[in-house]
Amino acid sequence: MPFLEEWGSLIDPLWLSAPLRLLDLAAQSLLSDEDSAMRALGELPVGLFPTLSTVAFEGGHTKTVTAMVQAWPFPCLHLGSLRDQSITQDLLEAVLDGLELVPTNTACPR
């Protein structure tokens, strides 16, 4: 079908990729001002932490990553998925800095 072949070359591959979710866009907006994002951590619903942490890691927001590790509301913070990402030394140091300030009596059960 020559008609479809002609139009197929005009389709931008970016149109075919999934658009960002509204939640991801909101997280990006919040992280555009890291100081405000860190202050908001105490007020955020617990369900937003996973998305916000993912966006913070992907965006390289080291100060927010450190603050999120300290304020992590769940019993465990699984870092195994970080090996699948290209984590920078700065982000790894941000996680470790945050862990230094977490009380040791809240260990994660296996």
Side-chain angles (χ1 to χ4, degrees), residues 13-37:
L14 294 178
W15 290 358
L16 300 176
S17 64
L20 289 174
R21 298 178 309 157
L22 183 57
L23 186 56
D24 296 323
L25 293 171
Q28 286 178 357
S29 177
L30 178 60
L31 290 168
S32 67
D33 180 3
E34 271 196 290
D35 292 331
S36 294

Side-chain angles (χ1 to χ4, degrees), residues 18-98:
L20 289 174
R21 298 178 309 157
L22 183 57
L23 186 56
D24 296 323
L25 293 171
Q28 286 178 357
S29 177
L30 178 60
L31 290 168
S32 67
D33 180 3
E34 271 196 290
D35 292 331
S36 294
M38 290 186 306
R39 284 192 303 273
L41 289 178
E43 306 298 323
L44 285 179
V46 171
L48 295 180
F49 269 77
T51 299
L52 189 62
S53 66
T54 299
V55 174
F57 271 102
E58 290 172 354
H61 300 278
T62 55
K63 292 188 330 185
T64 304
V65 167
T66 299
M68 289 196 77
V69 169
Q70 293 169 6
W72 194 250
F74 304 106
C76 296
L77 175 60
H78 296 282
L79 300 175
S81 63
L82 295 180
R83 68 178 151 206
D84 297 334
Q85 301 176 14
S86 56
I87 187 168
T88 64
Q89 182 174 348
D90 290 341
L91 283 172
L92 183 58
E93 288 176 5
V95 170
L96 294 175
D97 288 345

